[in-house]
Amino acid sequence: MSGTLPAPGPLSWPELVTTALLGTDRRTPPGLPPGREAPAALLDAAAVAAVRRRAGLRAAPAAPRPESAAPDPRPPLPSPAARRLAALLADRPGTGGGRRGAAPDLRELLPQWLALANERGFAAPPELLPALLDAARGRTDLRPAALAFAGPRALWLARLNPDWRFALRAAPGGGGLPSAEESDRVRDLWRRGLFAERVALLSALRARTPAAGRALLSSTWPAERAEDRLMFLDSLRTGLGPQDEPFLERALADRSRNVRAVAAELLSALPGSALAARMGSRAATCVAVDVTAPVPTLVVEAPHECDAGMERDGVVAQPPSGRGERSWWLSQLLDAAPLSTWAARFGGRTPEEIVALPVADDWQGELHAAWCRAAVRQGDAAWARALLGAPSAPEAGGPGAVSLAERAKLLGTLGAEERAAWVAGFIGTHGLSEAFQLLGVCAVPWEGELGRAVVDALNIARDAGSYPWSFSGVMGLAERCLAPAEADRLEGLTAIPDETEGAAPGAGSYWAEAFQRLTATLRLRALMTAELTP
């Protein structure tokens, strides 16, 4: 039938594709009327075009073979550790939902394994690099450690496989982020790169040489868009120091309110800055000690106006919905004031003595919450201790910290040992039900007093007969963070306990399974460490 039709005019391949997509009822090959013959004519034209395209291809010289990968000078991974890595990369238990069983979740152990391997300076087995890059592609949290372990061969592979191009952007020397010494590449990427590349470059420079990052930002600051200036300015948190003050002071006059607010926040994190001194002077006029009261009492007089100077220093005049103007202005002054202001203002009292003073007219919550934020912003451990109070305080409420999130932030200002001891005392008094956020800021592994407190609290929760599901978050953290030496103490908890009166039906078997998994995971972590030890 198609042989009796007039030959359609020559059509390019894109035109044929467009005609096929639209349909011959709406568009027909040139020289043909619409009708039943049009589809056949289109197919004939496509067949001719396909043959023409294939016949027209010319043989091309073979592409050059890729250069060999750069050598990795690090020592090879011990054979047992290589087999362990293969198992961690191949096995993904726990992804199907439902009951996890007693087997360790190998997926969650991979980050720890990579950290140990990097700490010991081993090279990745070449045959496992594709699986390692695939794992890092799917989990951004793995990428820094995985790429550090993979070494130069990962970059060689990433240039050959588009799926792994993230390695070129993320790894030093991968063609994405130049070092500070490569000034020409730095300037070129800063002026021509995508926004995400520029942010990554600035962050990397600030982490290594803060002054170089600040100088780079200064070179184009007036020409940047407001939303870009905001993100770039936020990168100055890394390596923030007194040398950044002149630049941040100039940013206080920025035409963007958000940029001004971030600049003010960063300056207030520098207690010696001129802005901090100005805010301290303002805040000091708002809080005083009434020595005429039967007991010395703090009295608060919130600002009556937000003047232009306050606004220039980052005070936002318009309060959020439901917040009073004066209390809003006061909280911002207190947030930014150096905490050293208060010892001078209150007769040399210590932070503990200041926090213990009663506060008149229901201002205590506002005042202490602002001091919490200031202690975190300024990294002041002495004030953090005073605001945290004793971990055994009733209802877990310290003198100033009124929420778990605030306590976790305050704990972050303390040293690792002191932090662990405080959280151990908290768990000993209040149990694990409220401790998840607090445990998250503790250094790992949890050992000594903290490890014992966690195991004892889990044992108490099991004896109470409740389901372990409410403790699943803590159990998951314990599998990754508890010191492997605690496995011996957990061994006695792996048996199914006798059900007590009032216990949830079947809770004992769930607890036994959870402790079996925890014990097996701790023993596996100990074995992983041994396999990576030369």
Side-chain angles (χ1 to χ4, degrees):
M1 175 177 170
S2 61
T4 64
L5 296 174
L11 289 176
S12 68
W13 188 257
E15 289 174 321
L16 286 167
V17 172
T18 301
T19 301
L21 289 173
L22 292 175
T24 54
D25 289 339
R26 299 174 60 188
R27 184 169 181 171
T28 57
L32 287 181
R36 291 186 300 173
E37 296 84 0
L42 177 63
L43 291 176
D44 285 345
V48 172
V51 172
R52 184 182 296 118
R53 292 177 75 206
R54 291 179 182 177
L57 288 176
R58 296 180 179 180
R65 299 181 64 180
E67 296 181 2
S68 300
D72 193 332
R74 297 174 297 179
L77 196 64
S79 296
R83 290 192 293 271
R84 180 70 59 196
L85 175 60
L88 293 175
L89 290 170
D91 200 336
R92 295 290 185 271
T95 58
R99 193 162 176 171
R100 285 180 53 191
D105 189 346
L106 301 186
R107 177 183 53 178
E108 295 302 323
L109 294 180
L110 184 56
Q112 190 170 103
W113 189 97
L114 289 170
L116 289 170
N118 286 329
E119 182 182 306
R120 286 155 173 74
F122 288 117
E127 67 275 13
L128 293 179
L129 287 176
L132 183 61
L133 287 171
D134 280 340
R137 179 192 178 202
R139 288 182 59 179
T140 55
D141 63 307
L142 283 179
R143 289 183 183 179
L147 294 177
F149 178 60
R153 291 191 180 102
L155 304 181
W156 183 83
L157 287 172
R159 295 187 183 99
L160 302 176
N161 187 342
D163 289 344
W164 300 332
R165 288 291 171 86
F166 67 87
L168 301 179
R169 297 189 297 269
L177 296 180
S179 64
E181 292 74 23
E182 300 174 280
S183 56
D184 291 341
R185 285 191 63 205
V186 167
R187 285 194 297 270
D188 185 65
L189 181 60
W190 182 249
R191 294 183 182 278
R192 302 176 186 273
L194 300 174
F195 175 70
E197 293 173 324
R198 300 179 74 207
V199 171
L201 174 63
L202 180 59
S203 299
L205 289 177
R206 287 291 295 183
R208 295 193 295 266
T209 51
R214 183 181 62 253
L216 186 67
L217 180 57
S218 299
S219 67
T220 60
W221 179 259
E224 303 289 354
R225 299 183 306 166
E227 55 267 32
D228 293 351
R229 293 199 305 276
L230 182 63
M231 291 294 293
F232 292 145
L233 194 63
D234 197 64
S235 298
L236 297 189
R237 296 180 191 277
T238 302
L240 182 66
Q243 299 80 5
D244 297 317
E245 184 179 356
F247 177 82
L248 293 173
E249 274 285 344
R250 290 193 297 273
L252 288 176
D254 195 271
R255 55 187 178 274
S256 166
R257 185 181 70 179
N258 290 333
V259 171
R260 295 195 301 271
V262 172
E265 180 187 348
L266 294 176
L267 283 168
S268 68
L270 299 172
S273 68
L275 177 138
R278 295 193 296 269
M279 298 296 266
S281 297
R282 295 178 181 120
T285 64
C286 298
V287 187
V289 177
D290 181 3
V291 295
T292 64
V295 176
T297 301
L298 294 179
V299 292
V300 176
E301 180 68 24
H304 289 273
E305 65 173 343
C306 180
D307 58 35
M310 290 168 62
E311 290 197 60
R312 182 186 180 277
D313 285 345
V315 177
V316 178
Q318 184 65 35
S321 177
R323 184 77 182 270
E325 280 186 337
R326 296 180 64 198
S327 67
W328 172 241
W329 300 332
L330 174 68
S331 70
Q332 294 177 81
L333 297 182
L334 296 172
D335 288 355
L339 289 165
S340 58
T341 301
W342 307 113
R345 176 67 167 156
F346 302 145
R349 286 181 170 87
T350 65
E352 286 80 3
E353 292 170 336
I354 294 172
V355 170
L357 289 173
V359 183
D361 300 327
D362 297 324
W363 281 104
Q364 178 170 313
E366 188 80 56
L367 187 62
H368 286 189
W371 282 341
C372 282
R373 294 189 294 270
V376 172
R377 184 181 296 183
Q378 298 170 34
D380 194 308
W383 271 87
R385 292 186 195 99
L387 292 162
L388 280 167
S392 57
E395 299 182 1
V402 295
S403 72
L404 288 169
E406 285 178 336
R407 281 193 287 276
K409 292 176 181 178
L410 288 170
L411 284 168
T413 68
L414 307 181
E417 291 185 7
E418 184 178 2
R419 198 183 317 161
W422 196 95
V423 176
F426 180 93
I427 293 172
T429 302
H430 306 287
L432 286 169
S433 59
E434 296 187 17
F436 183 80
Q437 284 181 284
L438 306 181
L439 285 168
V441 301
C442 291
V444 295
W446 303 338
E447 53 190 354
E449 185 180 0
L450 179 58
R452 290 191 297 272
V454 170
V455 173
D456 291 344
L458 288 172
N459 189 17
I460 292 171
R462 183 193 73 147
D463 291 343
S466 58
Y467 279 120
W469 299 328
S470 58
F471 298 92
S472 59
V474 174
M475 291 293 281
L477 268 181
E479 290 172 20
R480 300 187 297 274
C481 303
L482 199 59
E486 295 294 336
D488 292 337
R489 295 184 63 229
L490 288 163
E491 193 66 48
L493 304 178
T494 57
I496 299 177
D498 295 331
E499 289 194 6
T500 59
E501 185 178 353
S509 62
Y510 278 93
W511 274 111
E513 190 175 85
F515 280 120
Q516 289 164 13
R517 182 173 58 251
L518 176 57
T519 303
T521 303
L522 295 181
R523 296 199 188 285
L524 179 56
R525 285 174 48 210
L527 183 58
M528 283 168 32
T529 303
E531 291 168 347
L532 284 164
T533 301

